[in-house]
Amino acid sequence: MPAPVDHNRRRQEIAEIAWDIISQVGLDAVTIREIAAAAGYSTTIVTHYFASKRELLLYTYQAAAAHAQKRVDQVLAHDAGDLQGYLEALLPLDQNGVRDWRVYFAFWQIAALDADFAAEQRSWMARVRQVIAGILKARAKSDQALRNCDFALLAKRLLTLLQGMAVQAVFDPEEWSAQRQKNFLASEVRSLLATAAVRKR
Amino acid sequence: MPAPVDHNRRRQEIAEIAWDIISQVGLDAVTIREIAAAAGYSTTIVTHYFASKRELLLYTYQAAAAHAQKRVDQVLAHDAGDLQGYLEALLPLDQNGVRDWRVYFAFWQIAALDADFAAEQRSWMARVRQVIAGILKARAKSDQALRNCDFALLAKRLLTLLQGMAVQAVFDPEEWSAQRQKNFLASEVRSLLATAAVRKR
């Protein structure tokens, strides 16, 4: 008897290949046929899992986000209050990070026009803000100045910083080398935490 | 004798129609044929001006940036030190602003993969930073605290704020109503100017 097909694993595998191809050639140029060829499957099998490019991109975006999440989990398992490490894990510091952001850009173009994709993007942003707020609460235990800060607002300000940096860094890797991203981030996080402590609720 | 054809005006006219269509359906779905139909030209005439979607998007992006520039010029003609007004003119506060950002997202997807587009994007970012630095210099004349600030660094921080806000606001118009964008912006600009005054060069 042949081993049963693990459909989730296949979807995941195809999504990872799609993620790689989309990050290289963009969404416009990618075809289901090309993804099938790279995965070693027939086009029929791939369309069994993904009926359209739209569906494929949605899943691929989730795979890219899950991929970034793995890096994040490692950081926070080590130190639940490591704000700098968490934000670094999401920035385009290396080739993997740049690839994630390329997939995000492909996704954003659709999300600007498609309510389902926009909802997915909002839930990504909400998740990041929630994790940041959790990190801030962990830090507040040992940092008196952070107590009574508006964590939700501070998380929003930090997400704004993260996204603003990333969209510059992807297009200008010289101006935004990994080291410069880290330095800029550290300096801005310091400022944001200091002004949040002053503002308080 | 028929009036001579104004080629620049035609290109501009076609680009504005393309800008409108791309902001509605995305780059993937738009066709030269559709743009030609909307402009009232034959496909042959449009392909005479734009040999490919790539070329069309590059020009459309420049048209969207020029469109935003007009709003900006009006603000700065009125008050050369109006930092809040300048940044508001670039944010997706209204339908026009959202349309500009949708074209930017379409452009970014290509810019993440195409060196010419990335260079164009870098020059857009450099222009914005330059205008911001000019505004800061104008303000420094009457604001002692800003003197000797690192204007280039502060401009970079403000561009990061602008881009970080815009990419959230487009997808989450409820959380980021025009009024909330303005309030958040005002509060962040205040913090950034204050910390810049403290840091100095």
Side-chain angles (χ1 to χ4, degrees):
Chain A
M1 216 175 78
V5 174
D6 182 339
H7 292 291
N8 274 338
R9 213 181 131 181
R10 261 203 190 167
R11 282 174 78 94
Q12 182 64 30
E13 185 194 342
I14 294 168
E16 274 170 28
I17 286 162
W19 172 72
D20 201 42
I21 298 178
I22 291 172
S23 76
Q24 282 172 48
V25 304
L27 184 65
D28 204 9
V30 78
T31 62
I32 298 272
R33 183 192 301 251
E34 189 183 358
I35 292 164
Y41 292 127
S42 69
T43 304
T44 314
I45 287 185
V46 173
T47 52
H48 170 74
Y49 292 109
F50 304 104
S52 63
K53 267 167 90 165
R54 182 181 178 284
E55 216 177 275
L56 178 70
L57 180 63
L58 186 57
Y59 198 86
T60 300
Y61 172 79
Q62 290 161 342
H67 184 263
Q69 190 61 45
K70 265 190 215 162
R71 291 199 299 269
V72 162
D73 288 343
Q74 283 171 1
V75 170
L76 295 182
H78 190 256
D79 172 4
D82 186 0
L83 183 58
Q84 172 84 14
Y86 171 71
L87 295 170
E88 282 183 9
L90 293 179
L91 279 172
L93 292 185
D94 58 17
Q95 210 45 44
N96 270 333
V98 171
R99 287 202 300 185
D100 283 344
W101 282 94
R102 283 181 181 160
V103 175
Y104 297 164
F105 292 161
F107 186 86
W108 289 359
Q109 205 214 144
I110 317 287
L113 305 164
D114 180 314
D116 292 345
F117 279 49
E120 182 68 30
Q121 177 62 14
R122 278 196 298 279
S123 88
W124 182 89
M125 297 192 300
R127 264 198 315 277
V128 172
R129 291 200 310 261
Q130 205 174 10
V131 175
I132 293 176
I135 295 171
L136 293 169
K137 273 175 210 158
R139 288 172 73 106
K141 283 181 198 155
S142 61
D143 183 350
Q144 190 94 38
L146 276 180
R147 267 170 230 173
N148 303 319
C149 275
D150 183 340
F151 293 129
L153 175 61
L154 188 48
K156 197 173 178 179
R157 301 172 73 199
L158 286 158
L159 173 60
T160 304
L161 170 66
L162 171 75
Q163 292 194 305
M165 285 181 66
V167 299
Q168 290 173 75
V170 167
F171 303 119
D172 201 351
E174 268 182 54
E175 179 74 23
W176 292 89
S177 67
Q179 193 54 53
R180 284 191 184 177
Q181 287 185 58
K182 288 181 189 177
N183 294 348
F184 185 90
L185 177 70
S187 167
E188 295 304 291
V189 165
R190 210 159 39 233
S191 284
L192 286 171
L193 294 188
T195 59
V198 172
R199 282 193 209 169
K200 291 277 169 89
R201 279 185 225 256
Chain B
M1 217 174 78
V5 174
D6 183 339
H7 291 292
N8 274 339
R9 217 183 127 179
R10 263 202 188 168
R11 281 174 78 95
Q12 183 64 29
E13 187 194 340
I14 294 167
E16 275 170 27
I17 286 162
W19 171 73
D20 201 43
I21 298 177
I22 290 171
S23 76
Q24 282 172 47
V25 303
L27 184 65
D28 204 6
V30 78
T31 62
I32 297 273
R33 183 191 300 251
E34 191 183 356
I35 290 163
Y41 292 127
S42 68
T43 304
T44 315
I45 287 186
V46 174
T47 52
H48 170 74
Y49 292 110
F50 304 104
S52 63
K53 268 167 89 167
R54 183 183 177 281
E55 217 178 272
L56 178 70
L57 179 64
L58 186 57
Y59 198 86
T60 300
Y61 171 79
Q62 288 161 343
H67 184 264
Q69 190 62 44
K70 266 190 215 162
R71 291 198 300 269
V72 162
D73 288 343
Q74 284 171 358
V75 171
L76 296 182
H78 190 255
D79 173 3
D82 187 0
L83 182 58
Q84 173 85 13
Y86 171 72
L87 295 170
E88 282 183 9
L90 293 179
L91 280 172
L93 292 186
D94 59 17
Q95 211 42 47
N96 270 332
V98 171
R99 286 203 299 185
D100 283 345
W101 282 94
R102 283 181 182 159
V103 175
Y104 297 165
F105 293 162
F107 186 88
W108 289 359
Q109 204 214 144
I110 317 288
L113 305 163
D114 180 314
D116 292 345
F117 278 49
E120 182 68 30
Q121 176 63 12
R122 278 196 299 277
S123 87
W124 182 89
M125 297 191 300
R127 262 199 315 278
V128 173
R129 290 201 311 262
Q130 206 174 9
V131 174
I132 294 176
I135 295 171
L136 294 169
K137 272 175 210 159
R139 288 172 73 105
K141 283 180 198 155
S142 60
D143 184 349
Q144 191 93 39
L146 276 180
R147 268 170 229 172
N148 303 319
C149 276
D150 183 339
F151 293 127
L153 174 60
L154 188 48
K156 197 173 177 178
R157 300 171 74 198
L158 286 159
L159 173 60
T160 304
L161 170 64
L162 170 75
Q163 293 195 304
M165 285 182 66
V167 300
Q168 289 173 77
V170 168
F171 303 119
D172 200 351
E174 269 182 53
E175 178 75 23
W176 292 90
S177 67
Q179 193 54 54
R180 284 191 185 176
Q181 287 185 58
K182 288 180 189 179
N183 294 347
F184 186 89
L185 177 69
S187 166
E188 294 305 291
V189 164
R190 213 161 33 236
S191 283
L192 286 171
L193 295 188
T195 58
V198 171
R199 282 192 210 168
K200 291 278 170 88
R201 277 184 225 258

